Amino acid sequence: MQAIARLRLLKDLVGANILPVVALQSVAECAVCARGLNRSITRQSFRVNSRYVASCPAVDQPAWLHTAQDHISLHYKPYSPCVDGNSFPEYLQMPVTKPTHLTYIVKKCKELAVVSINRTSSRLAADDFFTSIHTLLQQHQHMHQSKFYSACASAAIHVAETAQAKGIWCWDLTTHLVEKLCDQLVPHHAQTNGFSAVNMLQALAKCQLQHGSIPQHCLDNTAELVLQAGQSITQQGWSLAAWACASLHQRHQPTRYHPLLDELAKRAVGWLTGVIKLQHIATIIWSMARSQYLPSEELLLHFTDAACDQAQDFLPHAAQDIEMLFLGYAWLGYPPHAHARQTLMQHFLRQSLQGYQAANMAWSLAVLGTLDMPAFRSLLTHITQHDLGNTKISRQLHFAAEFLRPQTGADSGSEEWHQLVEKLHLSWPVQPTTEKPTRRLHTEVLAVLREGLGLECHKNVPIAREHDHSLFSVDILIERQPGIPCDIAVEADGPQVFMHNQPEGTRHLGPSMFRDAILRRHVPCLLTIPYSEWPGQGFHASTLYLQNKLRVEVQRLNGQDEPVVDSLDWS
């Protein structure tokens, strides 16, 4: 394990262009230790970190780097136009007699590009890589298979991510290549396996996240491929497909990729008797939540129990998975049962946590309505002063603190809460001056209230808190006036705050339910307008709808069953 740790340390040393003689001696010791280990993770770590050593221009390469010791293969040559004549054209001239040779060439080109980018921070290697792949696509076309196209797409994504880490932008070239690969994959649909289909869908999702819109026919064709190959897709493949669906989620077409999630839910029933990895559980639940897709209660319960079973044994580096799992729970508005919550939280707090992970967990528990002060204090121990300078982390913690706000000053723990929140407020970063987006439903409701009912109201009114900090703002605030006994907050809820595999407008997302719960603490009355109820067929129909809504609410506020007679015309 010490050898593995030393090898992993090399990445940071080389990334900073620091590799002293002591480090080289450590590398040599690690090489000797690694030769006697048979675990694949050790061999993989050794190979990967050896490449980082070779890519460092500040030192000579150790003699053992290019030798094969026992079962460890280290035949690796770093790319440089001036080193041993190695270049992309050299790989393109390799003999090709079967389809796997093409995939091997793609792999070698990718390795060459990645190491050259890490070594020189130059775009030249990225340009040469994409030129080489386009050349391969024009050659040996009779040997092209879906695996080859998938390998090209995965390699392009790897090169783009490596280049981006070095400040080099080549997602435009990557997106162009992946789109071309999708088009060339069409004749091979019948032979495409699940692994290749999922890889292509994931590549498209990453390109859309980084570069922008992808042609819809590419997305639809690839999603259809995944559905066709569903029988051969593994748990890992389905978790990656679910992640792609969440990344490709479109606000104006929220159900476009729900057929894939329907198929995943059906396949997942067959996993109930087997072992499901925590990583896959977390990815699937989070992806479904972000796709506004509510899985069945049975599936959620089984996934939760499976996650608890794995948490019984200590899993290193599981903090990210548990964080993602609880974020998914929060967006679904699904609080896991008490035993599961306690088990997973205990395991989470035993991990080495980053500040953003602790903040996300605090927010998730608050949204689920299960956060308490001891848990909040435990999570705050992982938050540094530097973390509090991050706007997102600070807001997450303030949401959690707002959930814990005592109802009255006489409540037990009130003084503790005020001391804790005072510290958070003093560290509150400067908020960006961005206005809450105004959607069409919001605008239409505001127009009817003002012009149709003649009410005085305001839009995007922040809810004031201590130190003039605000977490929420209401869409529309109807001021107290004749006919309105108190201020009424109006929230116009569009499709973006509802689940879309349920009947329209019947199930809010978790954050929306949390928002309403917090707003009810600060405003005398909250009125929600779901998009599914909004008439939208004319000004008169919308006016009648809001008139009836307000009449019922005013009667409730006045404690009367009969219509209220006042200066506001309810007729």
Side-chain angles (χ1 to χ4, degrees):
M1 293 304 294
Q2 291 179 354
I4 297 173
R6 290 176 181 175
L7 284 168
R8 288 175 175 170
L9 179 62
L10 292 177
K11 178 177 179 179
D12 297 330
L13 293 173
V14 175
N17 287 327
I18 300 173
L19 197 59
V21 176
V22 176
L24 280 177
Q25 293 173 352
S26 297
V27 174
E29 294 172 7
C30 292
V32 175
C33 296
R35 293 170 193 166
L37 297 176
N38 293 322
R39 297 175 65 179
S40 60
I41 184 173
T42 303
R43 297 198 298 274
Q44 180 182 4
S45 300
F46 183 57
R47 287 196 298 269
V48 170
N49 288 280
S50 298
R51 292 173 187 170
Y52 281 111
V53 177
S55 67
C56 181
V59 298
D60 295 329
Q61 299 164 15
W64 49 264
L65 186 61
H66 296 297
T67 61
Q69 300 288 347
D70 301 330
H71 54 270
I72 301 178
S73 178
L74 294 174
H75 295 293
Y76 170 75
K77 297 180 180 179
Y79 167 76
S80 174
C82 304
V83 177
D84 300 330
N86 293 322
S87 63
F88 288 104
E90 182 182 67
Y91 288 130
L92 294 179
Q93 293 171 6
M94 294 176 67
V96 176
T97 58
K98 55 183 180 179
T100 54
H101 290 166
L102 288 172
T103 306
Y104 177 77
I105 293 174
V106 172
K107 176 184 175 183
K108 300 303 291 184
C109 288
K110 177 196 70 175
E111 292 175 351
L112 214 56
V114 167
V115 174
S116 181
I117 291 170
N118 282 327
R119 180 177 182 179
T120 64
S121 296
S122 170
R123 187 186 170 97
L124 174 63
D127 292 339
D128 287 349
F129 167 79
F130 287 103
T131 301
S132 301
I133 298 300
H134 282 290
T135 302
L136 276 179
L137 290 174
Q138 296 172 2
Q139 300 173 349
H140 312 292
Q141 294 188 6
H142 63 288
M143 292 188 184
H144 287 185
Q145 294 180 349
S146 60
K147 290 183 180 179
F148 167 63
Y149 295 129
S150 172
C152 290
S154 298
I157 295 296
H158 191 169
V159 170
E161 290 174 340
T162 303
Q164 187 176 10
K166 290 291 183 178
I168 304 168
W169 183 261
C170 58
W171 281 102
D172 50 347
L173 300 177
T174 306
T175 303
H176 174 69
L177 174 61
V178 172
E179 290 176 9
K180 182 176 180 179
L181 291 169
C182 285
D183 291 336
Q184 295 200 10
L185 188 61
V186 172
H188 302 272
H189 275 197
Q191 293 80 31
T192 303
N193 60 23
F195 177 80
S196 299
V198 170
N199 270 0
M200 191 64 72
L201 186 64
Q202 188 181 22
L204 288 168
K206 290 185 176 181
C207 287
Q208 179 153 297
L209 284 174
Q210 296 291 341
H211 185 255
S213 180
I214 298 290
Q216 194 60 53
H217 74 274
C218 290
L219 298 172
D220 292 343
N221 289 341
T222 309
E224 185 62 30
L225 275 179
V226 175
L227 283 174
Q228 291 177 3
Q231 189 68 34
S232 62
I233 297 177
T234 62
Q235 290 181 11
Q236 180 182 9
W238 275 116
S239 71
L240 294 176
W243 176 88
C245 290
S247 303
L248 294 169
H249 180 69
Q250 301 172 356
R251 184 176 63 83
H252 60 284
Q253 290 182 310
T255 61
R256 191 173 197 99
Y257 300 102
H258 280 194
L260 273 178
L261 299 178
D262 288 335
E263 184 67 19
L264 167 58
K266 293 177 184 177
R267 300 289 176 186
V269 174
W271 306 344
L272 300 183
T273 56
V275 177
I276 312 174
K277 289 186 177 181
L278 177 61
Q279 179 183 4
H280 301 160
I281 294 171
T283 303
I284 290 172
I285 288 182
W286 177 87
S287 300
M288 286 181 167
R290 297 300 286 162
S291 300
Q292 297 176 263
Y293 182 96
L294 182 66
S296 68
E297 187 83 16
E298 178 188 7
L299 190 60
L300 283 171
L301 182 60
H302 174 71
F303 276 170
T304 301
D305 290 340
C308 287
D309 291 341
Q310 293 190 46
Q312 300 295 336
D313 300 322
F314 181 75
L315 296 175
H317 314 300
Q320 182 177 357
D321 296 331
I322 298 177
E323 173 209 1
M324 178 178 280
L325 181 63
F326 272 84
L327 284 172
Y329 287 148
W331 279 89
L332 291 174
Y334 172 79
H337 54 81
H339 171 69
R341 186 173 65 252
Q342 182 180 4
T343 302
L344 292 171
M345 269 298 294
Q346 288 176 352
H347 187 59
F348 182 76
L349 292 172
R350 296 206 308 264
Q351 304 283 324
S352 177
L353 302 179
Q354 299 292 326
Y356 73 90
Q357 293 174 327
N360 282 338
M361 180 61 76
W363 176 84
S364 299
L365 291 174
V367 170
L368 294 170
T370 58
L371 181 67
D372 55 27
M373 186 60 77
F376 192 38
R377 282 199 169 277
S378 298
L379 292 169
L380 285 177
T381 60
H382 300 276
I383 305 292
T384 65
Q385 195 66 32
H386 176 73
D387 292 330
L388 290 174
N390 181 291
T391 302
K392 183 177 180 181
I393 290 177
S394 183
R395 284 182 63 83
Q396 299 286 66
L397 294 176
H398 275 275
F399 280 125
E402 188 64 33
F403 169 77
L404 294 172
R405 178 189 290 271
Q407 296 299 317
T408 65
D411 288 353
S412 59
S414 177
E415 183 177 352
E416 178 187 14
W417 182 87
H418 282 286
Q419 291 176 354
L420 184 148
V421 171
E422 185 69 21
K423 178 182 177 181
L424 289 180
H425 278 304
L426 292 176
S427 305
W428 183 273
V430 177
Q431 295 295 305
T433 55
T434 55
E435 219 177 292
K436 184 177 180 180
T438 301
R439 306 190 186 278
R440 188 180 69 176
L441 178 60
H442 182 173
T443 303
E444 291 178 358
V445 172
L446 182 63
V448 171
L449 288 172
R450 285 176 173 173
E451 301 171 18
L453 297 178
L455 296 174
E456 185 175 350
C457 46
H458 308 278
K459 67 174 184 178
N460 297 336
V461 179
I463 300 297
R465 298 167 66 242
E466 296 87 351
H467 301 268
D468 295 327
H469 297 150
S470 62
L471 288 174
F472 289 108
S473 62
V474 297
D475 289 342
I476 302 168
L477 182 66
I478 305 175
E479 290 186 343
R480 181 176 180 177
Q481 52 197 286
I484 303 295
C486 63
D487 292 348
I488 298 179
V490 179
E491 283 293 316
D493 290 339
Q496 69 277 1
V497 301
F498 290 98
M499 294 294 177
H500 285 285
N501 64 325
Q502 304 293 310
E504 283 191 348
T506 60
R507 177 64 182 258
H508 278 83
L509 295 175
S512 301
M513 293 188 282
F514 177 67
R515 173 208 67 191
D516 291 350
I518 296 299
L519 284 179
R520 287 190 174 94
R521 298 182 182 181
H522 292 276
V523 297
C525 176
L526 176 65
L527 189 66
T528 58
I529 311 294
Y531 78 100
S532 57
E533 293 183 4
W534 185 247
Q537 300 297 324
F539 193 82
H540 180 68
S542 301
T543 302
L544 290 177
Y545 168 79
L546 276 181
Q547 192 177 56
N548 291 331
K549 273 270 191 182
L550 281 171
R551 177 188 290 112
V552 172
E553 198 62 31
V554 169
Q555 290 175 9
R556 186 187 66 79
L557 291 171
N558 289 329
Q560 299 180 11
D561 296 329
E562 297 299 324
V564 180
V565 179
D566 48 39
S567 58
L568 182 63
D569 182 13
W570 295 108
S571 58

